[in-house]
Amino acid sequence: MELTFASYNIHKAVGLDRRRDPDRILAILNETGADVIALQEADRRFGRRESVLPLAAIESHTPYRAVHLGMRPDSIGWHGNALLVRRTIEVTEACAVPLPTLEPRGAIRADLVVEGRRLRVVGMHLDLSGLRRRQQVRSILSHVTDCENPVPSVLMGDFNEWARHGGCFHEIPRDWQVLAPGRSFPSRRPVAQLDRIVVSDEWRAIATGVHHSALAARGSDHLPVWARLVLPKI
């Protein structure tokens, strides 16, 4: 089974031209061709925390649907984190992941079924503090491993980790793989690999990359990152 996973900090749909343009973000998501997408900064920060990507627009202009958490009526996620999956993918369970934090950060988890195989995905946006990031990674891994029935897992998002190695990645088990698709921030002239994808040992990565396009170059201060993964037959 081969799937493409992507992660994109959409900066509340505000591009480098300072315009909030949800349609532009949806077009960029379509460009990635991913099967599962983790979004960060997908909700407004204050008030009702409504999604910056209207559900009706996601359903009418993309092949995706938002994983429903039911946390807030106007939001598609939790603390700006959202997961989109192709409509052919079954979602069996979804929830917010409790994180130790002083900032409005968060993570969400969904269990999916694809071609009869069950897998687990976590989208996250971690803290600016290095110590807090390490605590958050430990909390996420504890949550994933404590779930009933261990399954192949993919963790992805904006880790806010400037170090290429070390930092919060010291918390990742040795049998997991930390993928660094490339420099994705800032989008105009990327210098940092803040956006990462981490996979459990069942997966084999066959390709990774940063999505570059004319739209992506101005749609957000981050570029989308992606990984094409293969899950061997049982």
Side-chain angles (χ1 to χ4, degrees), residues 114-134:
V114 184
E115 298 178 12
R117 301 288 299 275
R118 188 176 174 187
L119 55 117
R120 185 164 292 138
V121 179
V122 176
M124 68 192 76
H125 192 182
L126 300 188
D127 206 280
L128 295 174
S129 160
L131 176 61
R132 192 72 64 179
R133 279 196 302 274
R134 296 186 69 151

Side-chain angles (χ1 to χ4, degrees), residues 195-230:
D195 305 286
R196 300 290 190 102
I197 298 174
V198 179
V199 299
S200 60
D201 63 344
E202 297 93 340
W203 295 99
R204 178 168 60 89
I206 58 175
T208 63
V210 179
H211 177 72
H212 294 272
S213 72
L215 283 179
R218 63 180 185 273
S220 168
D221 58 347
H222 287 246
L223 294 170
V225 300
W226 57 270
R228 192 167 298 121
L229 307 177
V230 170

Side-chain angles (χ1 to χ4, degrees), residues 65-68 85-86 89-94 110-113:
R65 60 189 173 100
V67 172
H68 182 64
V85 299
R86 288 193 180 270
I89 295 177
E90 179 186 357
V91 180
T92 61
E93 188 177 334
D111 284 11
L112 312 175
V113 176

Side-chain angles (χ1 to χ4, degrees), residues 9-84:
N9 184 328
I10 66 173
H11 195 52
K12 301 177 179 61
V14 177
L16 299 190
D17 55 5
R18 299 185 181 180
R19 290 192 303 113
R20 191 186 307 276
D21 191 343
D23 289 339
R24 178 168 56 192
I25 295 297
L26 295 177
I28 295 168
L29 298 179
N30 285 334
E31 287 179 346
T32 67
D35 299 291
V36 181
I37 304 175
L39 300 178
Q40 301 86 49
E41 298 192 23
D43 295 340
R44 295 176 185 266
R45 186 168 180 177
F46 302 106
R48 294 177 62 88
R49 305 284 183 92
E50 65 264 35
S51 169
V52 298
L53 302 179
L55 274 175
I58 295 173
E59 293 171 359
S60 60
H61 297 309
T62 78
Y64 305 108
R65 60 189 173 100
V67 172
H68 182 64
L69 293 177
M71 306 289 288
R72 294 191 176 102
D74 299 319
S75 168
I76 62 171
W78 174 247
H79 280 311
N81 292 276
L83 288 170
L84 304 182

